[in-house]
Amino acid sequence: MTWQEEAGRDLVRSFGERMALFVRGEGSYLWDADDKRYLDFLAGIAVDSLGHAHPAFVEAISTQAATLAHVSNYFATPPQLALAATLKRLAGTGDAGRVYFGNSGAEANEAAFKLARLHGGAERPRILALKDAFHGRTMGTLALTGKPWMQEPFLPMTPGVEFIDTTAEALEAAMDDRVAALFVEPVKGEAGVIDLPEGFLAAAREITERHGALLIIDEIQTGAGRTGEWFAFQHAGITPDAITVAKGIGGGFPIGALITFGAASELFYPGTHGSTFGGNALGTAVAGAVLAEIERAGLVHNAAERGAQLRAAILGIDSELITGCRGRGLLLGVALRHPVAKAVVSAAQEHGLVINAPNDETIRLVPALTIGDVEIDEFIALFTAAVRTVEDALLLETSSEISDRQGAPA
Ligand SMILES: *Cc1c(COP(=O)(O)O)cnc(C)c1O
């Protein structure tokens, strides 16, 4: 039996067909079972911040596993306390911040949803979220996710969430004193790497504050330095009431967190939330080591610089198909003229490049924050080859359509 047949038989069908069987990785490279090498510009969907098998990651996981992995939240451990302090410092909460640990992005957003309900109580049953933003796949976070097609098979949703257009005017029109919170995804990654309109976060801060609603920013994909700041909200110079993080902070180890600012830090009280695994010594030691390495190696700055370099190189590719590049830092979305993103992903894979298509007209690039000239040059060569392959196929299609229409023999 081939691995594809095995996967088809044994794995849940909620994911499409697996594209490859990867057996090992190192830095920005992956190897499949046939020992074919791939340049990885997906990094496990913005998760592998340090690339694969980074010595700091390996060392932290090995040492902590040999010391103490898990004791439950009846107790504290040194790596947990250290990571909470680090996250507060990087997010800029000051003393009045607190951290709740979970094991994924969805769990971080579930905690944020409960935070919003605790803040809202009976007087503020409304929660606002942005159309097209993605917040997770659990029932609570799906209710926050403004994609009707994702919700549809699972109706009814948890009530109270309303979706608005991503403009200050729409927010102002929807807002009143019965709103508990506004959820914002600062770059809509899953929707196709869509940037917020200029000034939106500042307006959102002002409007939510005026009405006593929480501003909760989902930094699950944008956090941990990816956009060229530790967190994307920091580009706007605002202070939110809470942010959620996951993906990149663990560098491949599953961990998520809700970080609260100011008065929002006092909303949870004993018994209101919890998680067995959340914040265990192993996970927090690894995330602590990943963040320490991002800091030591200046990878937030690298994300900003390499992001600009990568964007310029992409826009320099001579191609009819590429129409632009969205996003920030090393969270980039290459916009295509035709709905052929899936074909570009397949062609890239043939050429030994791993990328992904959040929709039919966008290629998402979220490489490790460690990339340099070598990876960028190789990416441009492989990506250009993949784009050419698809352009050639499109030309063939167009010419055969023309000859079909002219009734010419095939
Ligand atoms: C990935 C993602 C989530 C969900 O995280 P999981 O770890 O898959 O549960 C939520 N919000 C955003 C913005 C994400 O990118």
Side-chain angles (χ1 to χ4, degrees), residues 41-112:
F41 263 47
L42 180 59
I45 320 182
V47 166
D48 305 310
S49 312
L50 305 180
H52 302 285
H54 192 285
F57 179 89
V58 175
E59 158 66 20
I61 217 166
S62 316
T63 304
Q64 193 61 42
T67 306
L68 183 68
H70 179 91
V71 293
S72 92
N73 281 306
Y74 289 118
F75 314 98
T77 62
Q80 184 188 61
L81 298 178
L83 181 61
T86 299
L87 288 172
K88 284 178 59 175
R89 173 172 59 83
L90 299 177
T93 67
D95 282 346
R98 292 185 188 277
V99 179
Y100 168 81
F101 289 113
N103 310 286
S104 64
E107 281 172 85
N109 280 343
E110 286 287 344

Side-chain angles (χ1 to χ4, degrees), residues 103-119:
N103 310 286
S104 64
E107 281 172 85
N109 280 343
E110 286 287 344
F113 199 155
K114 288 178 80 172
L115 183 83
R117 287 279 201 249
L118 285 175
H119 174 67

Side-chain angles (χ1 to χ4, degrees), residues 176-239:
D176 63 19
D177 293 350
R178 289 168 57 76
V179 173
L182 167 70
F183 281 79
V184 175
E185 187 186 5
V187 177
K188 291 177 190 166
E190 299 297 319
V193 191
I194 313 291
D195 302 290
L196 292 178
E198 193 63 41
F200 180 81
L201 271 183
R205 177 66 289 181
E206 192 275 314
I207 295 167
T208 48
E209 194 152 35
R210 178 150 42 84
H211 287 275
L214 301 180
L215 174 60
I216 300 176
I217 303 187
D218 180 341
E219 296 267 4
I220 288 165
Q221 190 154 171
T222 51
R226 173 130 319 259
T227 68
E229 288 280 357
W230 276 102
F231 302 102
F233 78 83
Q234 292 166 335
H235 292 287
I238 58 148
T239 303

Side-chain angles (χ1 to χ4, degrees), residues 75-338:
F75 314 98
T77 62
Q80 184 188 61
L81 298 178
L83 181 61
T86 299
L87 288 172
K88 284 178 59 175
R89 173 172 59 83
L90 299 177
T93 67
D95 282 346
R98 292 185 188 277
V99 179
Y100 168 81
F101 289 113
N103 310 286
S104 64
E107 281 172 85
N109 280 343
E110 286 287 344
F113 199 155
K114 288 178 80 172
L115 183 83
R117 287 279 201 249
L118 285 175
H119 174 67
E123 276 70 53
R124 294 174 177 270
R126 304 179 64 209
I127 289 178
L128 302 181
L130 304 179
K131 284 180 192 163
D132 279 335
F134 179 77
H135 296 296
R137 296 286 206 156
T138 58
M139 287 307 293
T141 61
L142 189 57
L144 292 170
T145 292
K147 296 168 182 269
W149 66 269
M150 257 188 208
Q151 295 187 345
E152 200 273 331
F154 304 102
L155 296 174
M157 288 289 120
T158 300
V161 184
E162 297 162 47
F163 298 102
I164 61 168
D165 289 332
T166 308
T167 65
E169 296 72 41
L171 175 58
E172 188 76 78
M175 182 60 75
D176 63 19
D177 293 350
R178 289 168 57 76
V179 173
L182 167 70
F183 281 79
V184 175
E185 187 186 5
V187 177
K188 291 177 190 166
E190 299 297 319
V193 191
I194 313 291
D195 302 290
L196 292 178
E198 193 63 41
F200 180 81
L201 271 183
R205 177 66 289 181
E206 192 275 314
I207 295 167
T208 48
E209 194 152 35
R210 178 150 42 84
H211 287 275
L214 301 180
L215 174 60
I216 300 176
I217 303 187
D218 180 341
E219 296 267 4
I220 288 165
Q221 190 154 171
T222 51
R226 173 130 319 259
T227 68
E229 288 280 357
W230 276 102
F231 302 102
F233 78 83
Q234 292 166 335
H235 292 287
I238 58 148
T239 303
D241 296 294
I243 64 173
T244 51
V245 296
K247 291 201 168 89
I249 65 164
F253 194 94
I255 183 168
L258 167 71
I259 304 166
T260 53
F261 295 65
S265 301
E266 306 313 314
L267 289 166
F268 280 115
Y269 53 91
T272 45
H273 201 38
S275 159
T276 299
F277 294 129
N280 82 11
L282 187 57
T284 51
V286 176
V290 169
L291 295 180
E293 177 61 17
I294 292 175
E295 233 176 344
R296 188 202 63 76
L299 297 182
V300 180
H301 181 67
N302 196 57
E305 297 259 294
R306 299 305 182 175
Q309 183 183 345
L310 183 56
R311 180 196 304 269
I314 289 163
L315 295 176
I317 297 174
D318 176 28
S319 162
E320 271 291 292
L321 195 52
I322 298 171
T323 60
C325 189
R326 297 185 295 264
R328 198 150 200 176
L330 288 175
L331 170 54
L332 294 179
V334 183
L336 304 179
R337 191 180 306 281
H338 304 290

